[in-house]
């Protein structure tokens, strides 16, 4: 879409607000949306699932793979398409490769699916337009992401829709293949609805968090995001989203990886954001924050903390250990939108127009 002036300057925030509606629709219609995949999985008894995608699509796969593996009782991997193509040489015909591309035109994902078909793997695509996408031509099964159009620059609801689609694929397939029973199925479903029902409150609290710290965020020149376990996909996704929006370097590290050298580079010029969901690593994250405060006063923590610090996004998250990614990404998406707007950047207008055409990536 070249008519960028026709896109609302607030489109990104509008899509963030639309996300709970999108996710509830996916949950409500899960049987219909997953039917073709489930029937194929039951028939072919796959032994491995590989998820490929670039950027947000990869992050969605990374955030979902642990639940999928636990539920399906098969190995589930997530990778960038060309790393998968370049580094994978041993194949099992009982492998299904899921290629994800919200716009459905990613050349690298197309190449990944082509490579998979050449080696006897079943291929599945998940895109915004389903069977009408370019990616569908390289897929045995084409699924719709069910998020609707998203014409804003940095994508938000597509990330969450990707995660939900992958989760319900695993949930419905697990029930059909009897790797989970009906009691577990219904319990997981209730947990997903609970997480989605809490999202509107998180959006409003995220906006308040940004407003409290607006002047501090506006001074940032280097932001580092640190997280762990099931929020690591959010670390990568929020790094990308903020970087797309504010257009300067954002970094993201897993908690322990940060402790293996990154701390050397911290000074008063660095803003640090810690994602601290309820988990065995939460106290370790708080300890790191307290320690690093001697080196930077620009520290922000997202979690159910009870620390009475206005710099924190301190909120009663559901804190579901498997589905926390649906909650903790929201404050960082809101940060990306508001910070870019306050910096005078319209994130819907690409810095380099026609980049993908000029470089040949779509």
């Amino acid at each position: 879409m070249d008519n960028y002036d026709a896109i609302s300057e607030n489109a990104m925030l509008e899509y963030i607000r639309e996300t709970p509606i999108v996710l509830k629709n996916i949950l409500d219609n899960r049987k219909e949306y997953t039917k073709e995949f489930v029937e194929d999985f039951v028939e072919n008894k796959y032994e491995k699932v590989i998820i490929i995608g670039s950027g947000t699509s990869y992050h969605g796969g990374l955030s979902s793979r642990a639940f999928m593996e636990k539920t399906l009782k098969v190995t589930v991997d997530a990778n960038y398409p060309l790393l998968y193509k370049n580094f994978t040489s041993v194949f099992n015909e009982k492998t299904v490769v899921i290629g994800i591309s919200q716009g459905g035109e990613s050349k690298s994902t197309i190449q990944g699916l082509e490579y998979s078909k050449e080696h006897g793997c079943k291929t599945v695509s998940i895109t915004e337009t389903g069977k009408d996408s370019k990616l569908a031509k390289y897929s045995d099964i084409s699924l719709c992401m069910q998020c609707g159009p998203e014409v804003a620059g940095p994508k938000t609801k597509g990330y969450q829709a990707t995660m939900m689609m992958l989760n319900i694929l695993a949930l419905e397939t697990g029930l059909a293949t009897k790797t989970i029973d009906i009691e577990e199925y219904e319990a997981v479903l209730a947990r997903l609805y609970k997480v989605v029902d809490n999202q509107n409150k998180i959006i409003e609290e995220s906006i308040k968090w940004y407003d409290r710290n607006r002047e501090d965020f506006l001074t940032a020149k280097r932001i580092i995001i640190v997280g762990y376990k099931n929020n690591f996909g959010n670390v990568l996704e929020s790094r990308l989203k903020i970087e797309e929006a504010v257009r300067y370097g954002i970094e993201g590290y897993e908690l322990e990886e940060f402790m293996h050298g990154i701390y050397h580079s911290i000074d008063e010029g660095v803003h640090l954001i810690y994602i601290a969901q309820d988990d065995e690593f939460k106290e370790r994250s708080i300890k790191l924050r307290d320690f690093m405060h001697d080196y930077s006063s620009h520290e922000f923590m997202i979690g159910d903390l009870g620390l009475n610090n206005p710099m924190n996004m301190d909120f009663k998250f559901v804190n579901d250990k498997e589905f926390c990614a649906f909650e903790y990404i929201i404050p960082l998406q809101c940060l990306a939108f508001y910070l870019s707007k306050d910096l005078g950047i319209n994130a819907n207008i690409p810095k380099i127009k026609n980049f993908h055409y000029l470089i040949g990536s779509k």
Side-chain angles (χ1 to χ4, degrees):
M1 183 174 182
D2 294 328
N3 187 14
Y4 300 110
D5 291 336
I7 305 173
S8 166
E9 188 177 348
N10 296 322
M12 186 177 173
L13 180 62
E14 291 166 8
Y15 291 132
I16 292 170
R17 291 191 181 279
E18 189 181 325
T19 297
I21 300 169
V22 167
L23 299 185
K24 189 174 185 301
N25 172 66
I26 294 173
L27 285 170
D28 289 347
N29 295 283
R30 61 194 179 279
K31 298 287 186 184
E32 174 190 346
Y33 296 159
T34 62
K35 184 175 184 291
E36 188 176 3
F37 180 91
V38 172
E39 289 177 349
D40 181 72
F41 204 105
V42 169
E43 178 183 350
N44 289 288
K45 299 179 175 61
Y46 295 113
E47 298 172 358
K48 186 172 185 177
V49 178
I50 300 174
I51 304 165
I52 60 172
S54 297
T56 293
S57 298
Y58 165 64
H59 304 154
L62 188 65
S63 293
S64 307
R65 64 160 299 280
F67 173 74
M68 294 183 73
E69 184 164 295
K70 174 188 171 185
T71 303
L72 295 173
K73 304 294 191 292
V74 300
T75 300
V76 179
D77 290 335
N79 214 330
Y80 295 114
L82 294 188
L83 287 184
Y84 155 72
K85 180 181 176 182
N86 292 336
F87 296 154
T88 306
S89 58
V90 177
F91 289 87
N92 179 341
E93 64 179 11
K94 289 293 185 181
T95 297
V96 57
V97 180
I98 302 175
I100 304 172
S101 170
Q102 187 167 344
E105 297 185 344
S106 170
K107 283 191 175 180
S108 60
T109 306
I110 287 172
Q111 291 176 41
L113 291 187
E114 283 184 310
Y115 186 69
S116 302
K117 290 180 77 69
E118 290 169 4
H119 289 85
C121 300
K122 178 65 71 75
T123 58
V124 176
S125 62
I126 302 177
T127 66
E128 179 193 314
T129 53
K131 297 183 186 301
D132 295 329
S133 70
K134 188 178 293 186
L135 196 63
K137 299 175 183 177
Y138 303 87
S139 313
D140 298 304
I141 297 173
S142 305
L143 303 177
C144 181
M145 194 175 288
Q146 304 299 338
C147 66
E150 187 169 15
V151 295
K155 302 297 188 286
T156 54
K157 65 174 179 173
Y159 172 62
Q160 298 227 37
T162 295
M163 292 192 291
M164 189 60 80
M165 282 296 296
L166 291 172
N167 284 326
I168 64 166
L169 285 176
L171 191 61
E172 294 298 327
T173 304
L175 182 65
T177 57
K178 297 181 170 56
T179 56
I180 59 171
D181 59 27
I182 188 63
E183 288 80 12
E184 184 176 356
Y185 170 89
E186 291 178 348
V188 169
L189 199 57
R191 288 162 52 202
L192 284 167
Y193 273 110
K194 184 177 181 181
V195 167
V196 173
D197 287 344
N198 201 38
Q199 286 191 322
N200 283 320
K201 294 178 182 177
I202 298 174
I203 293 169
E204 298 311 314
E205 288 300 317
S206 296
I207 295 170
K208 293 177 185 177
W209 171 61
Y210 175 80
D211 286 343
R212 286 197 307 272
N213 296 286
R214 176 180 179 275
E215 296 306 319
D216 196 335
F217 281 128
L218 282 170
T219 69
K221 299 300 180 186
R222 182 187 178 206
I223 297 176
I224 296 179
I225 304 157
V226 181
Y228 48 87
K229 292 192 74 172
N230 283 2
N231 263 314
F232 180 60
N234 279 347
V235 169
L236 300 182
E237 174 63 9
S238 60
R239 178 206 67 193
L240 172 62
K241 223 47 42 179
I242 300 170
E243 198 159 39
E244 285 180 306
V246 305
R247 299 174 183 178
Y248 58 76
I250 312 296
E251 301 165 47
Y253 298 98
E254 190 273 335
L255 177 65
E256 293 297 321
E257 189 66 19
F258 178 89
M259 297 181 188
H260 281 73
I262 311 306
Y263 61 89
H264 288 294
S265 69
I266 306 305
D267 57 27
E268 189 59 22
V270 179
H271 283 56
L272 290 157
I273 302 175
Y274 305 90
I275 306 176
Q277 76 269 24
D278 286 358
D279 210 307
E280 64 266 32
F281 292 100
K282 182 177 179 179
E283 291 305 316
R284 188 159 174 77
S285 187
I286 293 172
K287 182 178 181 180
L288 175 64
R289 190 277 313 273
D290 292 345
F291 184 89
M292 296 310 301
H293 199 69
D294 288 341
Y295 301 89
S296 172
S297 61
H298 308 287
E299 291 193 292
F300 308 85
M301 184 162 275
I302 301 171
D304 188 353
L305 305 163
L307 296 177
N308 194 29
N309 182 339
M311 297 180 76
N312 294 334
M313 165 61 186
D314 200 339
F315 180 75
K316 287 290 181 184
F317 293 93
V318 172
N319 274 309
D320 190 295
K321 289 186 178 180
E322 290 180 306
F323 305 128
C324 58
F326 289 103
E327 296 192 291
Y328 282 81
I329 190 60
I330 293 173
L332 295 157
Q333 289 175 335
C334 289
L335 171 62
F337 168 74
Y338 280 104
L339 184 54
S340 64
K341 187 175 182 179
D342 285 340
L343 288 170
I345 299 169
N346 185 341
N348 298 322
I349 301 175
K351 184 173 182 178
I352 305 174
K353 295 181 181 180
N354 301 318
F355 173 85
H356 291 291
Y357 172 77
L358 295 170
I359 207 72
S361 55
K362 287 185 182 178

